């Protein structure tokens, strides 16, 4: 499942990379649509960065899956619920700890 996620992310990243190419200062598209293009590009850039971070995490998670530590909270060592791992396979902390750490 993580492998499928990684493939999906790699596709997302290449798609986003295509959409975040520098915008040419082409007057033909007009000032307003150029502003739109810049806004869209910056949103795509944010999504691209998030996708890259996630890809790195997933890639690091993959070899750990078969180990005993996988699915264990790095903070309190309790088991991370399976549902959470399905949703966020790269989870390092249980819900309680990740909320605590995010504060
Ligand atoms: Zn915990």
């Amino acid at each position: 499942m993580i492998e499928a996620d990684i493939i999906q992310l790699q596709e997302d990243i290449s798609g986003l990379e295509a959409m975040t190419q520098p915008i040419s200062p082409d007057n033909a598209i007009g000032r307003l649509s150029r502003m739109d293009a810049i806004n869209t590009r910056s949103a795509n850039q944010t999504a691209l960065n998030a996708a890259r971070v996630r890809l790195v995490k997933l890639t690091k998670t993959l070899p750990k899956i078969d180990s005993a530590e996988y699915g264990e909270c790095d903070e309190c060592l309790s088991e991370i619920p399976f549902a959470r791992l399905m949703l966020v396979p790269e989870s390092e902390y249980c819900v309680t700890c990740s909320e605590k750490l995010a504060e």
Side-chain angles (χ1 to χ4, degrees):
M1 198 205 79
I2 290 186
E3 279 168 356
D5 260 14
I6 288 177
I7 291 165
Q8 182 61 54
L9 268 173
Q10 280 166 340
E11 279 171 14
D12 286 356
I13 287 172
S14 46
L16 285 166
E17 273 171 351
M19 284 190 286
T20 49
Q21 294 304 307
I23 300 155
S24 63
D26 189 351
N27 289 328
I29 58 172
R31 208 176 123 76
L32 263 182
S33 52
R34 185 168 151 75
M35 288 300 288
D36 274 352
I38 289 169
N39 287 336
T40 308
R41 180 167 176 255
S42 118
N44 285 333
Q45 194 77 57
T46 308
L48 177 62
N49 289 339
R52 279 187 174 144
V53 168
R54 179 136 198 262
L55 182 63
V56 169
K57 281 190 188 170
L58 277 177
T59 312
K60 279 196 217 156
T61 303
L62 201 55
K64 289 196 283 184
I65 282 192
D66 292 324
S67 80
E69 291 104 76
Y70 180 68
E72 224 172 54
C73 174
D74 277 2
E75 188 70 18
C76 68
L77 301 180
S78 72
E79 247 176 69
I80 302 173
F82 188 66
R84 177 167 165 80
L85 288 173
M86 288 298 280
L87 210 64
V88 193
E90 69 272 33
S91 302
E92 288 172 290
Y93 305 107
C94 69
V95 182
T96 320
C97 291
S98 63
E99 277 171 5
K100 239 189 284 169
L101 291 165
E103 274 169 15

